[in-house]
Amino acid sequence: MSNNLPNIIMIVMDTVGAKHMSLYGYHRRTTPNLEEIAKESTFYSRCYAPGNWTLSSHASLFTGLYPSEHLVDGSALTPHTLTLGKKLQHIVSIFNQSGYNTCCISCNGLVSPLYGLCRGFEIFIDYSGLAPIEDRLKLKNDNNIKELKRSMAEAPNLRESLQIFLHYVLCQKNLNLISHTFDYLKLALIRRLGLSRMQYSAPFTKRSFRTALKIIKNKISQSNSPFFIFLNLMEAHSLYNPPKKYRHFSKKSDSNKLLPFKLYDENNKSLIKLLPIWNDLYDDEILFLDYLIADFWQQLKVLNIFDNSIVIITSDHGDHFGEKGFYEHNFSLFNDLIWVPLIIRYPSWLKKSCTDNRLVSLTDLYSMLLDIIDSPMPRPLSSYSLLSSEKRASLSAMSLYNQEKKLALAAAFKKPKKWVNNLTVHDYAIIMDNNLKLLQNERNELFLYNLAKDRNEENDLSSSLDPQILQDLSFLINKDKHDTGYAALLETTRN
């Protein structure tokens, strides 16, 4: 291994499922540039997320733990399960202790210090507009922040509140703070014009890459210390609205003005006809993101740090477009949601470019990163280092607090509590190295798929199995629930 610790850049393409990427066999050419990038990287063909939405997957990525271990997978009815516990070891704190400069650029309000996911970053830049002011502008250590927030809250109108804020910022004589402030104000203006991150993510995605490059160049000129930069990009998250000049699969007049989640409400079922349009928009979002990543990749190459840098490109989950009765993300553990891309460009002295067909979980990135920096911190049993030759026999994916999530959905639709009885969701899945996948729903019904022959999970094999084999499979999934702590957690919540 090189004597110098490598720089690490991790890009999470929020909501980009492997199923919709031509790199993974999708029938549309949505990722031509990533196909080329994969040729000079290690391409992982079977990577799965341990959860089915942002919070659970990111918490697993940063801790190496399954959702049943870090417990971050909640809803509005379980607010204590929305925040990563402070006692859990976080990869960023280990990077800080190892001499790394750390920076997070997030377009997702959930991926922020507010929820504990991005705690410890020396620089945190929020392009979602949802993080608290002290997180957005890195003011949380300022002695005057409480007074500033109080003064802004007591201002009689928005104009005076803004004047108080600008006066505070300018008095700091901190050029970096002033720059970030005006960046935020420009983005706030875009949102004010009705172009929020949820409605039009392109400006925020492009700004994230420009900011990352600026920070990298500053780090190169100012310090010899290695850096870890993490980006969360919301380009492919609904509401889907790719730039019109980059549309290839959708029409320029196509739009997505309703969250697909609302199709769980039978009063919106008339909008089912829009699903193919949203699918087209989603594919164009991925194509546009593919273009932006390629441009960022080329700019990284001209810097003199590329030969000693690791670039990780992945996702936290995919999206449903009505497949098997599911919409957007959550409630399902089908591959539409949990099969995610993973491309890692290692320096040549660390690992040669190749295709890696091993079974891989996002939790494995944690142990890999510890190995890269030669950290003595313990590796969780749920995390296998990608730098080792060890192979998984299986991996797990799960969804916690499903009843609470369904009740939150019912409340959003102003439905009675009994309405949720008609919505059956998944709670656990096991994917085995031989490509068999066990799936269990909250009613303890068991499903079996052969992913080698049936990647879209359209042919359930359980009905053709001998009762004794079904019993053995039930024993297997129950044992796995016990080993991952899921069974104990489920028993606790029931009591």
Side-chain angles (χ1 to χ4, degrees), residues 95-115:
F95 274 121
N96 290 333
Q97 295 163 14
S98 302
Y100 273 77
N101 297 139
T102 56
C103 170
C104 174
I105 303 170
S106 175
C107 295
N108 189 333
L110 295 176
V111 183
S112 73
L114 179 65
Y115 293 93

Side-chain angles (χ1 to χ4, degrees), residues 331-355:
F331 297 142
S332 158
L333 291 173
F334 282 122
N335 280 1
D336 306 77
L337 295 195
I338 66 170
W339 184 30
V340 295
L342 180 60
I343 305 166
I344 303 180
R345 186 273 177 190
Y346 298 97
S348 58
W349 51 263
L350 185 59
K351 187 178 175 69
K352 300 296 183 183
S353 303
C354 66
T355 294

Side-chain angles (χ1 to χ4, degrees), residues 2 73 81 126 155 187 194 198-199 232 242 244 269 285 294 303 317 321 382 395 402 420 466:
S2 169
D73 193 18
T81 63
D126 167 54
L187 294 172
M198 290 290 288
Q199 294 168 314
N232 175 285
K244 287 183 169 50
K269 284 298 193 289
E285 291 282 23
L303 302 177
H317 57 79
F321 292 91
S382 47
L395 56 79
N402 283 320
V420 303
D466 183 271

